[in-house]
Amino acid sequence: MPSLTDSISSVQDQVLDLLKTVQEPTVDAVERVVETVEGFLPDDRPALPFVDSLPKPAESIDKAFGYAEQFVDGQHDFVKAILANQRDFAKAIVDAVAPLLPTVPAKPSKPVAATKASKAA
């Protein structure tokens, strides 16, 4: 029987495969549209001022994903800290309530066999 994490991992893999299946034709379609539109634009288009100082689209995406990754890492650390705090809190509550909990009676100890010296006495 697969574990919960195996099932979740399988669903995640299926979602990623689905995304790739949808994204590939989308990229192809955008490339075809760009090629078509580019054929209608004049070759002597005016240059935009300061265009060289603008970040490249790929750089902007990398930067955005870098921020997203930092955010996710920060949230992961935050959740770990919350879980550690809650574990400590639960242990502290159990320790505080422990005096009220019934105790397990100790097993009676086996009587110690009498030694020859004590029998002789």
Side-chain angles (χ1 to χ4, degrees):
M1 182 171 150
S3 70
L4 178 62
T5 55
D6 291 338
S7 298
I8 290 172
S9 179
S10 174
V11 169
Q12 289 172 338
D13 290 342
Q14 291 173 2
V15 168
L16 287 173
D17 289 342
L18 176 65
L19 286 173
K20 290 176 185 177
T21 302
V22 171
Q23 290 170 343
E24 288 175 13
T26 303
V27 171
D28 291 340
V30 169
E31 288 174 346
R32 284 194 301 273
V33 168
V34 167
E35 289 172 2
T36 302
V37 170
E38 194 173 37
F40 290 105
L41 296 175
D43 290 334
D44 59 345
R45 294 188 296 265
L48 296 174
F50 309 109
V51 75
D52 293 337
S53 64
L54 296 174
K56 304 286 185 233
E59 293 169 357
S60 298
I61 290 171
D62 288 342
K63 190 173 188 178
F65 277 109
Y67 290 138
E69 187 174 3
Q70 289 175 358
F71 176 76
V72 169
D73 289 345
Q75 293 304 301
H76 181 259
D77 293 342
F78 177 62
V79 168
K80 281 174 45 177
I82 287 175
L83 288 174
N85 172 274
Q86 292 302 296
R87 181 187 59 235
D88 294 343
F89 174 69
K91 285 181 179 180
I93 293 295
V94 169
D95 289 344
V97 173
L100 300 177
L101 299 176
T103 58
V104 177
K107 291 183 181 179
S109 58
K110 295 181 181 178
V112 180
T115 61
K116 290 181 185 179
S118 62
K119 285 183 184 178

